[in-house]
Amino acid sequence: MTFHRAPLTNHHPDSSLCPPNHKHTSSGKPLHNDCPGRSYSQVICTCGTWQFKGPGKGYVNESRKRHLATHTPPTPTGPAVLRGLLRLDLP
């Protein structure tokens, strides 16, 4: 089964990756001494056909969730289907 992911990453004004331990205010101003601030957030889906980039982390994350919801889970096959059909809860 293939599950798609779209990790959210934050980036500095020079497009370098902002590490997760660099905390920011909601407007992107740095709370870490060595951080120039968050310029934009970006998500790239593992499906390979979708990516989104924007200045607002909340909106980018909301778009990420909406996109991931469009991926229908694959139909299970094999033993997983059989386990679902077996009733092991009988007294």
Side-chain angles (χ1 to χ4, degrees):
M1 290 164 82
T2 303
F3 293 100
H4 292 286
R5 295 179 13 156
L8 186 133
T9 55
N10 295 311
H11 298 267
H12 296 134
D14 64 356
S15 296
S16 63
L17 187 64
C18 187
N21 65 338
H22 285 190
K23 302 298 178 194
H24 308 92
T25 63
S26 59
S27 66
K29 292 182 179 144
L31 295 174
H32 191 273
N33 293 336
D34 299 335
C35 184
R38 179 181 68 231
S39 178
Y40 64 93
S41 296
Q42 181 176 23
V43 290
I44 300 173
C45 185
T46 56
C47 70
T49 60
W50 184 85
Q51 65 179 352
F52 189 82
K53 177 178 167 181
K57 180 180 176 181
Y59 184 64
V60 172
N61 197 34
E62 183 180 320
S63 298
R64 170 188 159 273
K65 289 177 184 178
R66 259 191 258 119
H67 171 74
L68 288 174
T70 65
H71 290 294
T72 56
T75 307
T77 59
V81 172
L82 293 177
R83 277 194 301 275
L85 295 174
L86 294 174
R87 295 205 46 200
L88 302 175
D89 59 346
L90 295 175

